[in-house]
Amino acid sequence: NAGLGSFTGTSIVENELCGVMCDTQGCATLIDCNIERNKQSALAVADDGGAVATKCNMSDNSEVSVFIGAGSNPTLKQCTISNSRGVGVLVRDAGKGVFEDCTIDRSTLSGIVISHRGDPKFQQCCVSNGDDAGVLITDNGLGSFIGCDIFGNTMPNVSVRGDSNPSFLTCRINKGQDSGLLVYNRGRGMFEKCSFTGNFKANVAVETQGCPFVQDCLIQGGKDAGIIVYDSGGGTFQKC
């Protein structure tokens, strides 16, 4: 039977494993909770588990602040995921999930990692100031990003590789300390009505059989090339 639970204004801190784990059709509702300093994840959802988290603070967790796997589909709204000691959000193994108006900031590794047919949706989210890539999509990852701000990350703001094929619509991918977008190693992806501006290296870089589709995008004001395609890279650029 599915386990259910509801928590409002609860502090869930300093656990040896996860702050909150939902699996095997278990589902938690979390409102205004502080989920901090746990040694694995703030929230882990797997094996068809579910969760609805609203206005929660998930900070200073050690491995992956939010883990989604194995067909699970949680919803997070207006949550702050910050100071992750590893990855901010990891979605894999056909996991899904909806993130609305969330902030993912200052991760030690990538802010978001999507792999192995993971297919989450991010709307009006901010992914910023990480020590690695802002968004890394790898190993047949998917995912859709709508109206997101991705900026200030140490490695490429968005990196797509390994036969992955995400979509980005009306996103602002700006002011990274490396490339704005890097597509390589057979990565693909659709980028429509996005802006790539002010990145320290190329605003858009494509290499090693990368092949993105870029349409109606603004590519401007990079500190290096606007677009660089090299080492067997490809791609389609329309109305940019």
Side-chain angles (χ1 to χ4, degrees):
N1 294 325
L4 304 175
S6 181
F7 305 87
T8 300
T10 305
S11 292
I12 306 167
V13 301
E14 297 178 349
N15 295 285
E16 289 294 319
L17 297 177
C18 303
V20 178
M21 178 179 287
C22 302
D23 65 7
T24 320
Q25 299 183 337
C27 184
T29 298
L30 306 160
I31 302 171
D32 288 320
C33 292
N34 289 311
I35 312 173
E36 303 175 297
R37 303 187 302 281
N38 298 285
K39 289 189 177 179
Q40 286 189 358
S41 301
L43 174 64
V45 188
D47 297 326
D48 299 309
V52 178
T54 304
K55 296 183 179 178
C56 292
N57 174 49
M58 305 178 189
S59 65
D60 298 291
N61 295 283
S62 292
E63 293 186 8
V64 177
S65 285
V66 177
F67 172 80
I68 302 171
S72 299
N73 192 20
T75 297
L76 287 82
K77 297 181 179 180
Q78 296 178 289
C79 292
T80 298
I81 301 164
S82 63
N83 291 317
S84 301
R85 302 303 180 223
V87 172
V89 175
L90 172 60
V91 185
R92 57 170 298 156
D93 299 331
K96 294 186 181 295
V98 176
F99 294 76
E100 297 181 0
D101 195 22
C102 292
T103 296
I104 302 159
D105 187 51
R106 301 190 305 277
S107 300
T108 299
L109 299 178
S110 297
I112 297 169
V113 176
I114 304 170
S115 70
H116 299 93
R117 295 176 292 110
D119 192 14
K121 184 175 184 178
F122 293 84
Q123 295 178 281
Q124 282 76 51
C125 292
C126 176
V127 186
S128 58
N129 302 316
D131 291 338
D132 205 302
V135 177
L136 170 61
I137 306 169
T138 184
D139 297 319
N140 295 288
L142 300 168
S144 62
F145 295 78
I146 301 170
C148 294
D149 288 285
I150 306 169
F151 64 90
N153 297 285
T154 301
M155 299 303 285
N157 275 327
V158 176
S159 184
V160 183
R161 69 188 188 196
D163 299 296
S164 297
N165 193 20
S167 67
F168 288 74
L169 175 65
T170 62
C171 291
R172 294 161 292 277
I173 302 170
N174 305 327
K175 297 182 180 178
Q177 298 177 45
D178 198 280
S179 299
L181 168 65
L182 173 62
V183 184
Y184 68 110
N185 189 21
R186 302 181 312 280
R188 291 173 289 159
M190 175 175 286
F191 301 84
E192 186 173 1
K193 298 181 180 178
C194 296
S195 66
F196 302 90
T197 64
N199 294 286
F200 189 76
K201 292 186 178 179
N203 276 322
V204 177
V206 187
E207 60 173 281
T208 53
Q209 297 180 298
C211 192
F213 183 88
V214 182
Q215 179 172 281
D216 290 325
C217 290
L218 174 66
I219 302 170
Q220 178 178 307
K223 308 304 181 185
D224 200 314
I227 300 170
I228 182 169
V229 181
Y230 65 105
D231 194 14
S232 300
T236 299
F237 297 81
Q238 293 183 352
K239 300 180 181 179
C240 295

